[in-house]
Amino acid sequence: MDIEAPGEAKELPKIHRLDESVVNRIAAGEVIQRPVSAVKELVENSLDASSTSISVVVKDGGLKLIQVSDDGHGIRHEDLPILCERHTTSKLSKYEDLQSIKSMGFRGEALASMTYVGHVTVTTITKGQLHGYRDGMMEHEPKACAAVKGTQIMVENLFYNMIARRKTLQNSADDYTKIVDLLSRFAIHYIDVSFSCRKHGAARADVHSVATSSRLDAIRSVYGLSVARNLIKIEASDNDPSSSVFEMDGFISNSNYVVKKTTMVLFINDRLVECTALKRALEIVYSATLPKASKPFIYMSIILPPEHVDVNVHPTKREVSLLNQEVIIEKIQSVVESMLRNSNESRTFQEQTVESSPSVPSITNNESHLNPSPSGSKSQKVPVHKMVRTDSSDPAGRLHAYLYKKPQNHLEMNSSLTAVRSSVRQRRNLRETADLTSIQELINDIDSKCHSGLLDIVRQCTYVGMADDVFALLQHNTHLYLANVVNLSKELMYQQVLRRFAHFNAIQLSESAPLQELLMLALKEEELDLECNENDDLKMKIAEMNTQLLKQKAEMLEEYFCIFIDSDGNLSRLPILLDQYTPDMDRVPEFLLCLGNDVDWEDEKNCFQSLAAALGNFYAMHPPLLPHPSGEGLEFYRKRKHGKNPQDVGKSSCDIGDDIEIEDEFEHKLLSEAETAWGQREWSIQHVLFPSMRLFLKPPTSMAVNGTFVRVASLEKLYRIFERC
């Protein structure tokens, strides 16, 4: 062993310049910490490129493959050679640009870092080009290739040259979960962009959002109905230059939301970031409101002047520094606390049914199985022939996805599904009904005649699709039913009239409609139906009498039913029975005639019952008056032109046969009107009627025997049939 002599100086380490490849790999390891970091950088690049659709495909948690495709403006062919060099960017040109930067990328390091730790291939095409270009590993001249609008970047074998890093990331499921969470956060903020994320080879995406105008709809689509229905909209702002300048809007969970992990989605100037101080401040507020084990869901978007935000404080841009951060956090915390205090006046708890009440035994097609089985028993393995085979959250499994082709002129459904269901739930706890004994008796009558078995079907069923003009297919557990939507909607509307009695919102007609003219229309239609020939004077007299009657009852109709008739006998307002639903206005004349002829105006209870029944029939989802624009119904819209065969020109009339059909055309305007009406009806059945039924309808016992519900298939019986085969 060599022993260092006393006093002998040890040679000092020499400083030398690192090789460029070593520098690049060290820097890349800092920027691309794990696969989700690469996905975040690529998605942000796609958003900077004004994309409206972004698709992510991942294999083995992103270690084997990350593929991000968008429909943005693409990359110029001239820029491809330097695309993946360090510090090359189109976002800024001088340091001062950082003071007003609005794009998410600005350093020009992300793609370069990926090329140092993975194999990168870029395919892109810009507007107006006949073909795109593909560049692999950025070492050769880009090659011309076929391409779709936008850019596709593929990163393969991530961290192939960083053995230690790759070994720490072997749990691919964990990394994929992080990527799904990242895309979910982007999807609820950029609601005008469609996002999808799926595993390589998987048929179904784990994140699938479509562009929408509703933030709440986006949250429901990504995080589920259980989150969306327990959110409160929140807003805060300040415009005092001496303290803070900001605008904040978002959604926070109310006191009914119970989970064990905080979810906070924060965007500052449209940049996904984290703010530990803000998160901690809000958790302190919630800890005084929620149960100890429960955590909040928070989505916030904060907009500040660009010069008040320093975006260049973190290698992965995960954090930013704000001017007057403490003041902003304090003001947001105060607004959240105030909102929670106001919303904490009531709590909603889910009730578990322990025992079902006995049902009425007389049911069509031996429907004794309609009653729910008692719950609370020990869980056990479900036999294969009793397994419920449906996923109500997957719209691809519904009937119309296979049978109905969307018409080209289909009505655009601007109202979002979440808005419908949210507003429906807001009606759950209505204000007290008018204190009238007759109304309470009618409501008690509904409750007493409710069929418990049908109630379970209505509450737990899955909508499949329309079987024909009147019957919808729905699934409940292992059974398939036909349900008469006209009867169901009529009963639901009737019950809604009684439960919302004297507390309606209004549909304002664009123009007031004269009662007398509407009643004359109804009488003429009735004459056609009955093939009778009453003279016009008699019809006019009937119309005048009914007009005078309804004018006399106008005050009561307005106060209790929100039907407004002015002193001149003009109808201008109708009630809203279900949010997001408007009745067929072609049936207004028939409704008014029913009010005049069929309502018992003398007895209070009978009057309210017959008025509710008339409104129920008017608002029921009857088939549109125009035939369905498909199958045999399409012949109604066809117009035919006939002419002579050109080969017969010059021949005598006796030599020429019958006229031949030379052209088939459609009445396109009428056809478009029919497509709109039928499309609107089916949308309302699926997205308004069935969600409302689950909340409000108490099906009467009569529906078990009058053909409203008919069981058409049972999985258990089908298994017996196939076993015989």
Side-chain angles (χ1 to χ4, degrees):
M1 178 183 293
D2 295 332
I3 300 176
E4 187 179 313
E8 184 177 340
K10 185 177 180 180
E11 184 179 357
L12 295 174
K14 182 181 178 181
I15 297 176
H16 61 277
R17 184 176 284 105
L18 287 174
D19 184 76
E20 187 178 356
S21 63
V22 177
V23 174
N24 290 337
R25 285 172 64 181
I26 292 173
E30 190 176 33
V31 175
I32 308 299
Q33 297 175 353
R34 50 192 315 137
V36 69
S37 306
V39 174
K40 182 174 184 288
E41 296 286 353
L42 294 174
V43 170
E44 288 179 344
N45 283 347
S46 295
L47 291 169
D48 285 341
S50 304
S51 303
T52 60
S53 177
I54 300 174
S55 173
V56 179
V57 178
V58 176
K59 186 175 183 181
D60 285 356
L63 292 178
K64 283 194 176 180
L65 172 69
I66 295 171
Q67 179 180 293
V68 177
S69 308
D70 65 56
D71 62 350
H73 54 57
I75 303 167
R76 298 192 316 158
H77 174 241
E78 297 82 2
D79 294 336
L80 286 174
I82 63 167
L83 175 66
C84 291
E85 291 184 11
R86 289 190 71 193
H87 308 306
T88 58
T89 181
S90 61
K91 314 297 172 57
L92 55 82
S93 56
K94 56 184 185 294
Y95 181 78
E96 287 73 21
D97 293 342
L98 277 176
Q99 303 300 316
S100 58
I101 194 78
K102 292 185 178 179
S103 63
M104 280 177 272
F106 53 85
R107 293 197 192 111
E109 286 187 316
L111 278 173
S113 298
M114 291 177 211
T115 61
Y116 302 140
V117 295
H119 303 132
V120 178
T121 303
V122 178
T123 305
T124 186
I125 186 172
T126 56
K127 186 176 180 180
Q129 286 189 328
L130 296 177
H131 58 79
Y133 291 92
R134 179 177 290 119
D135 197 357
M137 296 304 293
M138 307 301 139
E139 295 177 354
H140 307 289
E141 182 69 19
K143 296 180 181 179
C145 66
V148 294
K149 180 189 176 186
T151 302
Q152 181 187 89
I153 298 181
M154 191 161 53
V155 183
E156 298 174 285
N157 300 319
L158 194 62
F159 303 126
Y160 73 97
N161 52 1
M162 301 175 71
I163 306 301
R165 177 76 62 88
R166 195 174 178 91
K167 284 183 178 179
T168 62
L169 299 173
Q170 287 303 311
N171 188 355
S172 61
D174 183 50
D175 280 283
Y176 183 68
T177 301
K178 292 179 184 295
I179 293 170
V180 168
D181 179 62
L182 174 76
L183 268 294
S184 300
R185 292 166 183 261
F186 277 119
I188 67 171
H189 182 74
Y190 290 95
I191 59 176
D192 55 344
V193 180
S194 300
F195 290 88
S196 73
C197 178
R198 62 181 175 87
K199 290 182 179 179
H200 181 264
R204 183 177 174 185
D206 294 289
V207 175
H208 180 71
S209 71
V210 295
T212 177
S213 59
S214 166
R215 181 91 56 203
L216 202 59
D217 189 24
I219 294 174
R220 184 208 62 82
S221 173
V222 174
Y223 287 97
L225 187 60
S226 60
V227 175
R229 69 184 173 192
N230 289 311
L231 295 183
I232 310 168
K233 185 169 179 60
I234 185 168
E235 294 178 340
S237 63
D238 191 13
N239 195 26
D240 184 0
S242 63
S243 59
S244 61
V245 179
F246 75 96
E247 291 183 2
M248 182 276 289
D249 70 273
F251 289 92
I252 58 173
S253 55
N254 60 24
S255 53
N256 296 319
Y257 182 73
V258 181
V259 293
K260 295 184 179 180
K261 182 180 178 182
T262 298
T263 300
M264 181 165 181
V265 183
L266 176 63
F267 282 81
I268 296 180
N269 286 5
D270 296 324
R271 186 186 302 275
L272 179 61
V273 295
E274 295 177 3
C275 182
T276 306
L278 178 59
K279 183 178 181 181
R280 190 182 300 116
L282 296 180
E283 285 183 329
I284 289 171
V285 174
Y286 270 92
S287 64
T289 307
L290 298 179
K292 294 296 181 184
S294 184
K295 301 294 181 182
F297 176 95
I298 301 166
Y299 161 78
M300 282 186 183
S301 174
I302 303 175
I303 302 296
L304 301 97
E307 60 271 17
H308 290 189
V309 185
D310 186 355
V311 297
N312 193 29
V313 297
H314 194 276
T316 63
K317 297 167 285 188
R318 189 176 64 189
E319 297 176 0
V320 295
S321 178
L322 309 180
L323 184 66
N324 300 320
Q325 178 170 299
E326 294 80 6
V327 178
I328 293 173
I329 290 175
E330 184 180 350
K331 291 185 176 179
I332 292 175
Q333 184 184 31
S334 175
V335 172
V336 170
E337 184 176 9
S338 174
M339 292 290 292
L340 286 177
R341 286 184 187 278
N342 293 334
S343 71
N344 201 26
E345 295 175 356
S346 64
R347 296 286 298 276
T348 302
F349 297 94
Q350 297 296 324
E351 183 181 49
Q352 182 177 2
T353 305
V354 177
E355 253 183 309
S356 62
S357 57
S359 64
V360 177
S362 175
I363 301 174
T364 303
N365 290 349
N366 299 320
E367 296 281 297
S368 59
H369 62 279
L370 293 180
N371 292 293
S373 59
S375 59
S377 57
K378 293 184 178 179
S379 60
Q380 57 184 2
K381 186 175 179 181
V382 180
V384 66
H385 64 285
K386 292 187 177 181
M387 193 177 295
V388 179
R389 300 171 183 272
T390 184
D391 181 0
S392 60
S393 66
D394 182 9
R398 299 193 182 118
L399 188 64
H400 67 270
Y402 298 95
L403 295 184
Y404 298 118
K405 181 179 178 182
K406 185 177 179 181
Q408 293 180 354
N409 297 321
H410 197 308
L411 179 69
E412 293 183 7
M413 302 302 178
N414 292 325
S415 13
S416 65
L417 179 57
T418 299
V420 174
R421 291 183 175 174
S422 174
S423 58
V424 162
R425 281 177 172 79
Q426 289 170 9
R427 296 285 178 185
R428 211 165 198 168
N429 300 319
L430 294 170
R431 293 169 288 177
E432 282 190 26
T433 316
D435 189 17
L436 294 176
T437 306
S438 55
I439 291 295
Q440 195 54 54
E441 288 176 358
L442 290 171
I443 293 174
N444 291 340
D445 191 44
I446 292 171
D447 294 339
S448 65
K449 292 181 179 178
C450 178
H451 189 293
S452 60
L454 293 179
L455 181 63
D456 183 61
I457 292 177
V458 168
R459 293 283 189 269
Q460 307 298 329
C461 72
T462 299
Y463 175 81
V464 179
M466 292 300 295
D468 61 15
D469 296 350
V470 174
F471 284 93
L473 278 169
L474 56 89
Q475 182 178 341
H476 176 254
N477 293 336
T478 56
H479 306 300
L480 191 66
Y481 295 90
L482 282 172
N484 188 315
V485 295
V486 176
N487 290 354
L488 286 170
S489 58
K490 190 181 298 185
E491 180 64 28
L492 175 64
M493 302 301 179
Y494 169 75
Q495 295 182 13
Q496 283 294 91
V497 172
L498 297 177
R499 295 189 189 280
R500 288 193 178 191
F501 185 81
H503 292 104
F504 294 98
N505 288 334
I507 300 172
Q508 183 69 45
L509 303 185
S510 56
E511 293 182 8
S512 297
L515 290 183
Q516 194 160 328
E517 292 182 16
L518 294 173
L519 289 165
M520 282 296 294
L521 281 174
L523 290 167
K524 288 177 180 178
E525 288 176 6
E526 193 176 67
E527 179 183 276
L528 292 174
D529 292 339
L530 299 176
E531 296 183 356
C532 61
N533 294 308
E534 295 179 356
N535 60 61
D536 289 344
D537 291 338
L538 179 58
K539 287 197 284 283
M540 182 65 72
K541 189 173 181 180
I542 294 172
E544 288 176 358
M545 290 174 60
N546 283 336
T547 300
Q548 291 303 318
L549 173 64
L550 295 178
K551 285 169 65 176
Q552 292 172 13
K553 306 297 181 182
E555 185 178 352
M556 185 268 283
L557 289 172
E558 181 185 8
E559 181 180 356
Y560 292 153
F561 299 98
C562 198
I563 300 172
F564 182 73
I565 298 171
D566 62 23
S567 57
D568 296 326
N570 296 316
L571 176 70
S572 59
R573 281 202 299 271
L574 289 168
I576 294 176
L577 301 190
L578 291 179
D579 298 282
Q580 304 295 326
Y581 174 67
T582 303
D584 185 355
M585 291 301 172
D586 288 340
R587 297 184 182 273
V588 171
E590 178 188 346
F591 166 64
L592 293 173
L593 187 61
C594 183
L595 290 185
N597 292 346
D598 300 339
V599 173
D600 180 358
W601 297 99
E602 304 302 323
D603 180 78
E604 181 182 288
K605 182 177 178 181
N606 290 340
C607 174
F608 292 152
Q609 184 176 29
S610 53
L611 261 168
L615 279 164
N617 184 61
F618 171 39
Y619 279 73
M621 296 183 182
H622 298 279
L625 299 178
L626 289 170
H628 198 292
S630 64
E632 295 181 358
L634 197 60
E635 294 298 320
F636 178 82
Y637 306 97
R638 192 187 301 274
K639 59 180 180 180
R640 288 182 169 82
K641 294 181 181 179
H642 296 273
K644 304 294 183 182
N645 191 325
Q647 297 177 357
D648 293 334
V649 174
K651 295 183 180 180
S652 62
S653 58
C654 59
D655 296 328
I656 301 175
D658 294 336
D659 293 355
I660 64 165
E661 184 180 302
I662 62 172
E663 185 178 5
D664 278 358
E665 291 184 356
F666 290 98
E667 296 282 357
H668 291 291
K669 186 175 181 180
L670 196 61
L671 182 61
S672 175
E673 184 181 338
E675 288 172 345
T676 297
W678 283 93
Q680 174 71 60
R681 177 177 183 255
E682 184 168 345
W683 187 91
S684 297
I685 289 170
Q686 180 178 345
H687 297 303
V688 179
L689 176 62
F690 273 83
S692 301
M693 279 169 43
R694 294 186 187 103
L695 291 175
F696 304 127
L697 180 64
K698 293 192 174 180
T701 303
S702 59
M703 284 189 172
V705 294
N706 67 0
T708 300
F709 286 91
V710 179
R711 195 186 74 181
V712 293
S714 166
L715 187 62
E716 295 92 335
K717 291 186 177 180
L718 288 175
Y719 260 81
R720 295 194 195 108
I721 293 170
F722 287 120
E723 282 171 357
R724 295 193 194 105
C725 299

